[in-house]
Amino acid sequence: FMHLIGNMFFLWGFGLVVEGKLGWKRFIPLYFAMAAAWGAGVDVLTMHRTDAYVLKNEQSGFGAKDFKEFEAKWDVETYGIDARSALNIMKGRCLGASGVIFSLMAISLVWAPKNELHIVGYIWFFIFRFISVDVSIMMYSLWYLGLSLLGFLVSGGGMGSSGLHMVGAVVGFAVGVVYLKRGWVDCEKWDLFSVMSGK
């Protein structure tokens, strides 16, 4: 539930930027098209993850040699899902909004890097402290993309949450650039390329 709530806050922040530029009639089909592209991208990148590959290489696969051995160790009571579902998840299946939210974040980075988000939260560093600050989309996006890239590299390029986020960001960045370069969106010279070139 906390993951879902977090996704909705991100959808609110970055969705406002993208929908504000496109209008809801163009935003909704784009959102679902990016979800499909994200899922397809993840599927392509994890095609090598056969049952045998996962059972041999996944730590959570208990090093099982075959599915029957894996099934004997993977019980619903402990893990909340059956062995076949667990194996499918380990093979790289994805479901949810995180990847598409990262797509929206990347589009916002391309279209409106200087727009500001108001961040409310807390930090814990020797003392619990509540914070409320404004930060540019560029700074916020680069921070999150950097964290995801770091997580992806630390995991050895595995398709965990960081990998899923990075696939979504690549999809969104490509969409943002195409819409901008083809003139399908008006960023009033406040897009990433204009800002970076000083225009």
Side-chain angles (χ1 to χ4, degrees), residues 5-195:
I5 291 168
N7 277 340
M8 293 305 98
F9 275 110
F10 272 72
L11 177 59
W12 180 23
F14 296 113
L16 277 174
V17 174
V18 179
E19 186 193 0
K21 297 258 183 221
L22 297 179
W24 70 269
K25 288 181 182 176
R26 291 170 65 201
F27 173 79
I28 292 173
L30 176 64
Y31 182 91
F32 286 115
M34 288 191 307
W38 168 57
V42 170
D43 279 352
V44 166
L45 291 172
T46 57
M47 283 174 64
H48 66 284
R49 288 184 160 228
T50 61
D51 286 359
Y53 173 90
V54 172
L55 292 172
K56 181 180 174 189
N57 294 293
E58 281 285 337
Q59 215 174 17
S60 48
F62 309 104
K65 291 182 185 73
D66 57 44
F67 181 69
K68 294 242 184 248
E69 186 181 337
F70 174 68
E71 193 173 29
K73 295 175 181 177
W74 192 278
D75 60 283
V76 176
E77 273 186 39
T78 304
Y79 298 100
I81 54 175
D82 62 84
R84 178 52 63 191
S85 298
L87 195 60
N88 282 333
I89 290 168
M90 291 177 210
K91 283 164 73 172
R93 301 294 180 254
C94 59
L95 179 67
S98 296
V100 187
I101 303 264
F102 267 74
S103 296
L104 293 173
M105 182 169 63
I107 291 174
S108 297
L109 173 62
V110 173
W111 292 356
K114 289 292 189 178
N115 280 30
E116 290 187 336
L117 296 169
H118 187 75
I119 308 301
V120 177
Y122 63 89
I123 57 172
W124 173 256
F125 187 70
F126 297 114
I127 187 169
F128 177 82
R129 182 162 184 182
F130 183 79
I131 60 167
S132 176
V133 296
D134 290 325
V135 63
S136 71
I137 286 176
M138 181 184 284
M139 293 301 293
Y140 195 76
S141 298
L142 291 177
W143 169 256
Y144 262 93
L145 291 170
L147 285 177
S148 288
L149 181 58
L150 181 63
F152 180 70
L153 295 174
V154 167
S155 72
M159 193 53 71
S161 291
S162 296
L164 295 172
H165 293 164
M166 293 309 297
V167 172
V170 168
V171 168
F173 192 83
V175 167
V177 171
V178 168
Y179 270 62
L180 180 67
K181 297 298 182 184
R182 290 193 169 263
W184 295 343
V185 64
D186 181 13
C187 297
E188 301 168 357
K189 297 293 184 192
W190 283 100
D191 59 90
L192 182 65
F193 304 106
S194 297
V195 168

